[in-house]
Amino acid sequence: MSILGLLIPLVLVLVALAIGLFFWAVRSNQFEDLERQGHNILFDEDEPTEDPPKDKAP
């Protein structure tokens, strides 16, 4: 029974820490635009944006 005296405060501290981290993540916009990271994996952004220079024949 004496272990409950240790575990209950420890659990309360961990729950308070988890809630604090959750609200920090919400306030720092960690959950904004969740789909962009998924699209970044699927679509490669390293594609060249301009056409390569064409050889001009005289």
Side-chain angles (χ1 to χ4, degrees):
M1 286 303 282
S2 64
I3 193 69
L4 290 177
L6 175 68
L7 290 179
I8 290 175
L10 180 65
V11 167
L12 291 176
V13 168
L14 290 176
V15 168
L17 181 66
I19 291 172
L21 286 174
F22 174 74
F23 281 110
W24 169 79
V26 169
R27 287 185 182 164
S28 63
N29 297 328
Q30 295 291 319
F31 298 109
E32 296 288 326
D33 196 14
L34 294 175
E35 295 181 4
R36 183 181 57 147
Q37 297 301 325
H39 287 278
N40 285 345
I41 294 172
L42 296 176
F43 301 110
D44 190 16
E45 293 181 1
D46 295 337
E47 296 176 2
T49 56
E50 297 180 11
D51 292 333
K54 296 178 181 176
D55 293 333
K56 294 183 180 182

